[in-house]
Amino acid sequence: VTDSGTSPCELRCWVLARPSAPGLPAVEDFRLEEAPLRILEPGEVLVRTTYISLDPHIRGQFGGLPGPEAPRPLLEGRMPQLLVGGHIPGYAIGQVIDSRAPGLAPSDAVLGYWGWQTHVIARAEPAVGGAAARTGDLVLNAAQETVTRLDPAQARPPRAALHVLGEMGLTAYVALLEVGKPKPGETVLVSSAAGNVGGIAGQIARLAGCRVVGSVGSPEKAAYITEHLGFDAAVNYRGADVAGQLDRACPDGVDIYFDNVGGAFSDLAIARLREFARVVVCGAIAHWNGADDGRGPRVQRPLVLSRARIEGFDLYDWPDSYDAGLRQLGDWYRAGDLQVRETILDGFERVPEFYAEFLGGAYLGKVLVRVAAEADEAAEGTGG
Ligand SMILES: NC(=O)c1ccc[n+]([C@@H]2O[C@H](COP(=O)([O-])OP(=O)(O)OC[C@H]3O[C@@H](n4cnc5c(N)ncnc54)[C@H](OP(=O)(O)O)[C@@H]3O)[C@@H](O)[C@H]2O)c1
């Protein structure tokens, strides 16, 4: 902090208290700590967190994953296991409250990867290379040590940078269009379709002229994707006769399976691939939250028979698509062609509890924890 006397003197921060056991993380796996804030160095800003993004991928850093999760060198490089006492990372947005950085002033909105903490002191530089990129007027920033300014004309409201106008929107856009390569009339099946990425991917498939089917975990979510997001049909993977539900929803089979979950549901989806289908492997939530029985993969015979293509996807391999993707997503979002349901939860003290509930399927759409209100929030209203 500067010595103006107007800034807080400490931050609160969630750290890992013990490695998580397999399954959903427990509240006892986390500990709330306080730490003093120091005087800002030149080039640094003090940011007050407004929203923390709840995202499945950080579950992999808490420990306790069953089976071989990934080739070890890749896993350790990209998603290292957190040490006990390590602070929980993740996407967040906030407001600058003190600045010694040119180009950033108090009340500017910024995006970063500082995670579950009330404030952060960070360098105000666009992060470059690796997991971060500047893309026109909008940004991705997955570096914990820097924050990047959000252009108020583009990221409106700023928290849209945590869903449709940021990494999650781009993931849906690039993975579906570049890897899935949808053609009008094809059947696209999306798993975790009432979630953030899945909901956006399904709507883009609809905009591409496809027939879109989503799998979800409750009748309420099934109604949400068919009545609000324009999906043609829904399958409740927690309901009875999932195979029969899939057969009825996809009577001619599946041309693109956009997989966010893995596990037993994906076995059923892959068994229904049409010839020359594509499987976009975007995530594996069922594996991460312990709902997977750990068997498999058993994809060889259906792949040979269908000559389908199965492809892992990582957004950071596609930087050349960011600019066009964010521009198109912004156009669709402002025109109302893309809907994003936000679930906004209040209470920094309850982030671990909210996170386990989120992973377990308790919430719809993009799930955010509000730590402090955005400056213009009263004027624009909130979802939830
Ligand atoms: N590859 C990349 O570059 C990249 C980038 C970003 C995100 N991703 C991945 O994209 C996927 C979706 O991310 P998101 O942020 O949009 O998350 P999300 O889909 O909103 O995740 C939460 C939802 O997961 C569902 N779920 C929980 N357990 C499940 C299970 N056992 N089987 C099926 N679904 C289950 C729950 O919905 P139900 O009630 O319907 O079960 C829950 O609401 C994640 O796997 C994420 O890691 C990949």
Side-chain angles (χ1 to χ4, degrees):
V1 295
T2 57
D3 47 12
S4 64
T6 55
S7 300
C9 350
E10 61 185 23
L11 62 78
R12 287 182 301 149
C13 166
W14 283 100
V15 302
L16 192 69
R18 65 179 189 192
S20 294
L24 297 177
V27 172
E28 296 75 26
D29 300 345
F30 306 93
R31 189 173 66 230
L32 191 53
E33 292 192 343
E34 293 181 349
L37 284 164
R38 55 175 176 73
I39 302 286
L40 294 181
E41 304 279 346
E44 289 183 333
V45 286
L46 171 63
V47 175
R48 177 183 64 138
T49 307
T50 50
Y51 285 90
I52 293 168
S53 175
L54 299 188
D55 297 304
H57 68 272
I58 59 167
R59 167 66 187 87
Q61 295 184 264
F62 303 158
L65 290 188
E69 153 71 359
R72 194 153 294 282
L74 286 180
L75 191 61
E76 282 166 3
R78 292 286 299 278
M79 286 284 169
Q81 163 73 54
L82 283 174
L83 299 175
V84 168
H87 114 259
I88 311 301
Y91 278 110
I93 59 166
Q95 257 174 343
V96 174
I97 55 176
D98 213 343
S99 176
R100 293 193 66 191
L104 271 183
S107 93
D108 279 351
V110 291
L111 168 73
Y113 202 76
W114 64 86
W116 299 7
Q117 52 189 5
T118 56
H119 298 81
V120 66
I121 289 177
R123 298 199 70 77
E125 294 169 341
V128 289
R134 172 168 282 279
T135 67
D137 290 326
L138 282 171
V139 285
L140 306 182
N141 183 352
Q144 286 184 46
E145 60 283 359
T146 64
V147 295
T148 325
R149 183 172 180 274
L150 290 168
D151 180 346
Q154 301 290 327
R156 205 170 54 225
R159 59 179 188 275
L162 297 176
H163 48 78
V164 64
L165 302 182
E167 172 168 334
M168 303 309 148
L170 267 181
T171 295
Y173 177 91
V174 180
L176 180 76
L177 297 183
E178 301 283 0
V179 181
K181 297 194 190 307
K183 297 192 239 349
E186 288 190 322
T187 295
V188 177
L189 173 63
V190 180
S191 55
S192 199
N196 186 31
V197 172
I200 297 171
Q203 291 178 84
I204 296 173
R206 180 177 49 77
L207 290 165
C210 299
R211 184 168 181 280
V212 191
V213 178
S215 83
V216 294
S218 70
E220 294 72 28
K221 290 185 178 182
Y224 165 67
I225 65 168
T226 51
E227 289 167 19
H228 294 280
L229 300 187
F231 281 63
D232 296 284
V235 169
N236 178 358
Y237 75 93
R238 294 192 217 255
D241 186 21
V242 183
Q245 290 187 57
L246 257 180
D247 287 336
R248 286 188 290 280
C250 309
D252 300 321
V254 173
D255 294 292
I256 297 176
Y257 175 40
F258 191 107
D259 189 6
N260 287 310
V261 306
F265 181 79
S266 293
D267 292 345
L268 294 175
I270 285 166
R272 283 155 181 78
L273 295 176
R274 287 165 62 90
E275 290 185 342
F276 306 107
R278 287 80 71 202
V279 177
V280 186
V281 179
C282 181
I285 298 172
H287 184 83
W288 294 332
N289 70 12
D292 188 6
D293 63 11
R295 292 186 302 151
R298 289 142 305 191
V299 298
Q300 289 79 0
R301 187 167 160 74
L303 288 182
V304 171
L305 290 174
S306 59
R307 283 91 81 214
R309 175 175 296 210
I310 185 164
E311 188 165 339
F313 174 80
D314 189 326
L315 180 63
Y316 299 133
D317 294 337
W318 297 85
D320 294 346
S321 301
Y322 294 173
D323 268 332
L326 284 171
R327 221 173 295 120
Q328 177 67 80
L329 286 162
D331 289 348
W332 279 330
Y333 187 52
R334 282 183 287 273
D337 291 331
L338 270 185
Q339 309 285 330
V340 177
R341 175 77 66 93
E342 294 174 331
T343 296
I344 294 179
L345 305 167
D346 281 299
F348 179 73
E349 295 73 17
R350 297 176 64 192
V351 178
E353 180 188 332
F354 291 150
Y355 188 69
E357 290 172 353
F358 156 74
L359 270 191
Y363 303 117
L364 258 181
K366 176 64 208 173
V367 188
L368 301 163
V369 178
R370 178 162 42 200
V371 180
E374 286 172 354
D376 55 354
E377 204 152 279
E380 36 120 323
T382 61

